[in-house]
Amino acid sequence: MATKKTTKKAKTGGAVFARVHALVRRIPRGRVATYGQLSELLDGRLSAAAVGWALRAAPEALPWHRVINARGTCSTDAERPGLQRALLEAEGVAFDREGRLDLARYQWRPKQRVDKP
DNA sequence: CCATTGACGAAGA
DNA sequence: TTCTTCGCCAATG
């Protein structure tokens, strides 16, 4: 290997969005996932920020509203005020008065049950 | 190719 | 607990 300028460690040729897309689609209705969680499910090669980038450029067909930050708040409030919260509430997710939800209760758990007493 | 940004996360104050 | 700082990777100009 002689010329190695572009660090293509992982098929970054636009496959980033495709990967995130496939993962977000697996999130069941009434459940949410954090950016960091998605990054870990993606082998942790992508950072949470990278996941956010893919979602921001994602089509409307993608249920991005099920993806929130680690604080349990909607980061999209700047671009889509109230939209993400409304969509989640329609799926049975309850929000706090400060616009936050209980991650321990609504965070999607792949491969395991998600019911908390 | 370099610099800046961004819907993030973790750690420190 | 909240706010700030730094680091993360990818996309854009």
Side-chain angles (χ1 to χ4, degrees):
Chain A
M1 324 249 293
T3 49
K4 173 190 56 87
K5 317 171 166 199
T6 49
T7 46
K8 324 177 129 173
K9 40 186 98 162
K11 313 163 228 170
T12 49
V16 179
F17 156 70
R19 216 166 274 179
V20 176
H21 179 180
L23 196 52
V24 172
R25 283 184 66 154
R26 288 179 186 179
I27 304 174
R29 179 174 169 279
R31 210 64 74 179
V32 298
T34 63
Y35 295 93
Q37 183 179 359
L38 294 176
S39 77
E40 287 185 42
L41 292 173
L42 292 168
D43 285 334
R45 283 170 195 148
L46 296 175
S47 59
V51 176
W53 278 112
L55 288 174
R56 196 189 187 220
E60 300 179 17
L62 189 85
W64 53 269
H65 58 269
R66 290 180 190 152
V67 185
I68 59 177
N69 56 26
R71 293 178 287 186
T73 57
C74 303
S75 304
T76 61
D77 189 63
E79 295 292 314
R80 312 285 190 209
L83 178 60
Q84 186 166 21
R85 175 174 174 174
L87 290 170
L88 289 174
E89 286 184 318
E91 296 186 349
V93 178
F95 276 78
D96 180 89
R97 178 164 163 245
E98 300 176 52
R100 303 191 299 193
L101 54 81
D102 189 348
L103 279 176
R105 180 172 158 181
Y106 293 110
Q107 186 167 31
W108 174 47
R109 256 169 162 197
K111 193 184 236 188
Q112 185 56 285
R113 181 172 58 80
V114 212
D115 193 78
K116 182 193 140 223

